[in-house]
């Protein structure tokens, strides 16, 4: 009976039924009988692989749920004494994170409280406690917008400089393509009437109305590559009547006089209307020439020869008398200091006035047409010269 119950597979692998208590195989039995069993197992099948792999190295595989053998205890490391350095680094890192968080929160709150703050063109006002030269930037189109590019804006800053006993002179930093003729005329008058030395430092462009303003300063500096001058007047009238006809659009103008709708886009100018506007342009140009002549101490005929509407380089402007010297902003500051009787260049302070472009635009868009000031400013933004011409 004992011989009949023997199982060759169990004897070969040491496997017994789950009910029987496990017994250790005889020494050498497993090693002697494994190769035949492996040779007898079917090759290439997944079942064969699952059975043969645990014994590929000749030792029984350990069950997955068996506790691993305890590893030898590692020798204790000696303390390096640098723990306090790590602590300091961690503390500083946490503090930096907190600071960044506070700054971010502050920026977010400011953005929520003032969503248009990033559009502001304001510059921080600098207190003047010693003799200084004030710098005023005229940067952009000359028009009526309340900035230093406008009569009211420039006058406010010139008045501030005049009233401050510590401001000894002013430098106008000009970078402008020109603009509204009347605004340029008024600003030129304010510069001419200023009671302290005033010097112009020209940047990349100093054209037309901007040059009319500059011509009233005591001295004009230019870079060699500055584009300056462009003395002349332009008035543009657009006729879209041909396009209207193709689109089937008709415009009926009910006017108190035949020429009241001249330049209204719906019809071309008559010869009489064109001559009328040409006379206006000639008169405005004459005022331009006279202003430059007085400011630059040149004869009107000399200025008229240069009033061809074209700009000059800074080098040519020095040669023909429209500018005085090649020099940078620092040179203009040094010369303004000299005119104020100082033998050294005075420190500078920037004068500006607060302006938010988006808020100003919203105000102008909400203004009635009867508000001439707002309407003129809006026309300036939209590039319309109106009926007074533009110095461009």
């Amino acid at each position: 009976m004992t011989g009949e119950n023997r199982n060759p597979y169990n004897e070969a692998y040491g496997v017994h039924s789950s009910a029987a208590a496990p017994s250790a195989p005889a020494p050498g039995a497993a090693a002697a009988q494994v190769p035949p069993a492996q040779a007898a197992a079917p090759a290439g099948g997944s079942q064969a692989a699952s059975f043969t792999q645990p014994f590929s190295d000749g030792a029984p595989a350990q069950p997955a749920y068996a506790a691993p053998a305890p590893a030898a205890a590692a020798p204790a490391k000696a303390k390096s004494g640098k723990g306090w350095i790590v602590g300091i680094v961690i503390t500083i890192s946490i503090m930096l994170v907190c600071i960044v968080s506070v700054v971010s929160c502050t920026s977010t709150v400011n953005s929520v409280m003032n969503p248009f703050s990033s559009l502001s063109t304001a510059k921080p006002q600098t207190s003047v406690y010693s003799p200084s030269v004030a710098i005023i930037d005229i940067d952009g189109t000359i028009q009526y917008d309340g900035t230093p590019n406008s009569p009211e804006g420039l006058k406010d800053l010139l008045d501030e400089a005049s009233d401050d006993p510590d401001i000894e002179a002013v430098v106008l930093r000009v970078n402008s393509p020109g603009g509204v003729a009347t605004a340029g005329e008024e600003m030129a008058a304010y510069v001419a009437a200023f009671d302290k030395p005033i010097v112009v430092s020209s940047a990349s462009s100093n054209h037309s109305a901007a040059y009319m303003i500059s011509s009233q300063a005591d001295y004009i500096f230019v870079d060699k590559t500055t584009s300056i001058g462009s003395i002349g007047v332009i008035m543009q009238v657009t006729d879209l009547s041909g396009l209207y006809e193709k689109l089937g659009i008709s415009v009926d103008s009910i006017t108190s006089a035949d020429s009241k709708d001249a330049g209204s886009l719906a019809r071309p100018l008559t010869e009489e209307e064109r001559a009328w506007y040409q006379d206006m342009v000639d008169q405005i140009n004459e005022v331009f020439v006279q202003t430059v002549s007085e400011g630059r101490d040149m004869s009107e005929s000399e200025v008229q020869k240069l009033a061809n509407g074209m700009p000059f380089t800074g080098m040519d402007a020095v040669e023909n008398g429209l500018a005085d010297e090649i020099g940078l902003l620092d040179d203009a500051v040094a010369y303004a200091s000299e005119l104020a009787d100082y033998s050294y260049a005075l420190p500078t302070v920037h004068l500006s006035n607060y302006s938010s472009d988006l808020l100003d635009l919203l105000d102008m868009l909400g203004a009635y047409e009867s508000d001439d000031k707002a309407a003129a400013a809006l026309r300036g933004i939209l590039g319309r010269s109106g009926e007074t011409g533009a110095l461009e």
Side-chain angles (χ1 to χ4, degrees):
M1 293 295 293
T2 304
E4 293 177 357
N5 292 332
R6 290 178 60 190
N7 188 329
Y9 182 87
N10 291 342
E11 290 180 355
Y13 291 97
V15 179
H16 303 274
S17 64
S18 58
S23 60
Q33 299 184 25
V34 166
Q38 290 178 343
S46 61
Q47 186 176 3
S50 64
F51 279 130
T52 58
Q53 182 187 7
F55 304 98
S56 60
D57 58 356
Q62 194 172 27
Y65 50 80
K77 293 184 179 180
K79 293 186 177 180
S80 63
K82 297 182 180 180
W84 62 275
I85 297 179
V86 176
I88 291 177
V89 172
I90 294 175
T91 303
I92 293 176
S93 300
I94 294 175
M95 292 176 63
L96 289 175
V97 171
C98 293
I99 292 173
V100 172
S101 300
V102 171
V103 172
S104 300
C105 291
T106 303
S107 301
T108 302
V109 171
N110 288 338
S111 299
V112 173
M113 296 299 293
N114 186 8
F116 305 125
S117 59
S118 61
L119 299 175
S120 173
T121 58
K123 293 182 179 178
Q125 296 297 317
T126 304
S127 300
V128 183
Y129 298 108
S130 62
S132 304
V133 172
I135 298 177
I136 299 175
D137 291 315
I138 298 179
D139 189 357
T141 303
I142 305 301
Q143 56 186 326
Y144 292 92
D145 61 357
T147 70
N149 304 335
S150 69
E152 60 273 24
L154 179 61
K155 184 178 186 301
D156 287 344
L157 297 178
L158 291 177
D159 288 345
E160 180 182 346
S162 177
D163 295 339
D164 194 323
D166 288 321
I167 293 180
E168 300 289 348
V170 167
V171 169
L172 298 179
R173 180 63 166 169
V174 179
N175 187 35
S176 171
V180 180
T182 309
E185 177 188 357
E186 295 178 5
M187 295 169 71
Y190 293 141
V191 172
F194 188 61
D195 58 355
K196 294 181 180 180
I198 185 166
V199 175
V200 166
S201 171
S202 305
S204 63
S205 61
N206 189 344
H207 292 168
S208 205
Y211 180 73
M212 175 187 275
I213 300 165
S214 300
S215 68
Q216 305 306 296
D218 297 316
Y219 209 76
I220 298 177
F221 281 89
V222 291
D223 292 331
K224 293 179 180 179
T225 56
T226 296
S227 179
I228 188 171
S230 188
I231 300 173
V233 182
I234 180 174
M235 179 181 292
Q236 293 178 323
V237 178
T238 304
D239 174 23
L240 298 180
S241 57
L243 177 62
Y244 287 172
E245 183 177 356
K246 290 182 178 180
L247 296 177
I249 299 174
S250 61
V251 178
D252 292 328
S253 297
I254 303 172
T255 64
S256 59
D258 291 340
S259 294
K260 186 60 181 177
D261 62 342
S264 64
L265 308 180
R267 66 174 181 83
L269 296 174
T270 66
E271 291 300 322
E272 293 78 8
E273 292 166 348
R274 181 180 296 277
W276 186 284
Y277 282 136
Q278 183 63 58
D279 184 61
M280 288 183 63
V281 168
D282 292 341
Q283 291 183 44
I284 296 171
N285 186 68
E286 185 177 353
V287 173
F288 195 168
V289 171
Q290 290 175 350
T291 303
V292 173
S293 173
E294 295 170 0
R296 297 299 301 165
D297 195 20
M298 300 170 64
S299 66
E300 290 188 23
S301 60
E302 289 177 315
V303 177
Q304 188 63 57
K305 291 179 181 178
L306 302 174
N308 58 2
M310 299 298 291
F312 301 91
T313 65
M315 295 178 288
D316 287 341
V318 172
E319 291 293 330
N320 61 33
L322 293 183
D324 295 295
E325 187 177 340
I326 302 292
L328 305 177
L329 176 60
D330 290 343
D331 299 311
V333 171
Y335 190 76
S337 303
E338 181 180 337
L339 293 179
D341 297 328
Y342 286 85
S343 59
Y344 58 92
L346 295 173
T348 60
V349 55
H350 276 82
L351 298 183
S352 183
N353 45 22
Y354 183 88
S355 175
S356 174
D357 296 337
L358 181 56
L359 292 178
D360 288 347
L361 180 59
L362 292 175
D363 289 341
M364 288 184 286
L365 289 176
Y368 291 100
E369 285 243 9
S370 59
D371 189 327
D372 295 336
K373 179 179 177 181
L378 183 57
R379 284 197 299 271
I381 289 178
L382 297 177
R384 296 176 54 188
S385 61
E387 296 182 354
T388 58
L391 303 182
E392 297 180 349

